Amino acid sequence: MNPLEKGYKQVNGIQMYYEIYGSGKPLVLIHGGGSSILYDFKEVIARLENEFQLIGIDLQNHGRSEHRDIPETFEQDADDVAALLKALNVDKASFWGFSNGGNTVMQIGHRHPKIVEKLVVASAFYKRNGMMDGFFEMMNEATFDSMPEPFKINFLNLNPDFSKLENLFEKDSKRMQTFVDWSDEVLSSIQSPTLFISGDKDVMKPEHTIAMWRLVENSQLMILPVGHGTYMMADFDGSLNENLVNFTIKEVANFLNN
């Protein structure tokens, strides 16, 4: 599984890293908080690189991309992705965002509708009360030591600068701690067909994912019997539910192709 192309583009004042796999209709892969392209989408890329042109992007402060000293916002991430695609001469694409990446692709649908074919929004949220009870209290108490060790190892393998790892943790934590509810209009403005995915034991409540699905016309809904993201990737301990991952990715491919 080797990228056909990889490199950096100057985007809104920083160098952003990307990788391209396969050929076909473009599908942009947007990772979650604290993560990177292959950490979240390794299994997806392995299964879909013969079917789509897969464009993976490391967002600001993540993976191999450069860092900013300003607060992270989902709106900034959406604008960065749109600008990077323009630099790659990609006029229109589908987008698959996981966790915070799901929030980012919803903002892409809201802010940059002309570049969107379809959206896959996996394990995302738009209001604080949609998260599991105690989530934001836990985020307010988060320390660098509480950052999952696999995230730390993954980041330092890609970018061996400990101060940048600390910056990533600080920026990601602050974004969640200070998150302000979005208006319903952010979702109801999305014009592209959208597939919402979450687990029934996810960090957001199933009824919250259902509420988002009801706000977006031409949307579909898939709630699976697992926790956060293990329907599309390995768990933190490395275990992989192969059958469920195969099922999820096949259903996403069907959604994108029909």
Side-chain angles (χ1 to χ4, degrees), residues 10-178:
Q10 184 74 15
V11 171
N12 297 329
I14 62 169
Q15 290 282 330
M16 288 193 72
Y17 178 77
Y18 69 95
E19 295 179 353
I20 299 177
Y21 297 81
S23 60
K25 294 190 295 186
L27 173 59
V28 181
L29 307 174
I30 307 296
H31 63 75
S35 197
S36 64
I37 299 165
L38 287 182
Y39 191 92
D40 284 0
F41 285 101
K42 177 183 175 184
E43 303 299 330
V44 171
I45 292 169
R47 288 161 176 80
L48 293 184
E49 64 178 335
N50 294 324
E51 200 169 335
F52 297 92
Q53 181 191 53
L54 302 169
I55 304 169
I57 299 172
D58 281 344
L59 299 175
Q60 60 174 327
N61 307 321
H62 288 73
R64 292 182 171 92
S65 288
E66 282 189 342
H67 287 231
R68 290 187 173 107
D69 291 330
I70 59 174
E72 286 178 353
T73 67
F74 295 116
E75 292 84 354
Q76 178 71 63
D77 281 342
D79 294 349
D80 287 347
V81 171
L84 189 143
L85 292 180
K86 185 176 182 180
L88 292 173
N89 298 312
V90 176
D91 296 326
K92 199 165 191 177
S94 293
F95 296 80
W96 184 343
F98 168 68
S99 196
N100 279 1
N103 290 57
T104 296
V105 302
M106 286 191 287
Q107 286 291 347
I108 292 170
H110 174 58
R111 297 168 71 85
H112 303 279
K114 291 181 179 179
I115 70 170
V116 179
E117 191 76 43
K118 294 184 177 183
L119 297 179
V120 179
V121 178
S123 292
F125 74 105
Y126 84 113
K127 289 191 184 294
R128 293 174 73 94
N129 65 9
M131 300 300 275
M132 66 181 187
D133 294 342
F135 176 83
F136 286 100
E137 289 79 1
M138 179 183 69
M139 286 303 307
N140 286 335
E141 295 171 3
T143 65
F144 181 76
D145 288 341
S146 65
M147 184 180 185
E149 201 64 27
F151 280 169
K152 295 178 182 178
I153 293 167
N154 179 63
F155 181 89
L156 292 171
N157 282 339
L158 299 173
N159 190 341
D161 184 332
F162 198 81
S163 67
K164 288 187 175 178
L165 174 59
E166 291 177 317
N167 180 61
L168 164 63
F169 172 78
E170 178 195 342
K171 295 295 191 297
D172 269 4
S173 298
K174 285 288 185 192
R175 169 157 60 182
M176 299 306 285
Q177 290 164 358
T178 60

Side-chain angles (χ1 to χ4, degrees), residues 106 117-123 187 190-198 206 208-224 247-248 250-258:
M106 286 191 287
E117 191 76 43
K118 294 184 177 183
L119 297 179
V120 179
V121 178
S123 292
L187 276 77
I190 294 172
Q191 299 299 309
S192 51
T194 301
L195 171 62
F196 290 96
I197 308 174
S198 69
H208 186 62
T209 306
I210 292 169
M212 295 195 296
W213 164 67
R214 293 192 188 283
L215 284 169
V216 181
E217 285 190 34
N218 300 316
S219 64
Q220 297 180 28
L221 174 67
M222 183 162 64
I223 297 180
L224 297 160
F247 173 82
T248 303
K250 182 180 177 182
E251 288 301 312
V252 170
N254 287 340
F255 166 74
L256 293 172
N257 284 323
N258 295 303

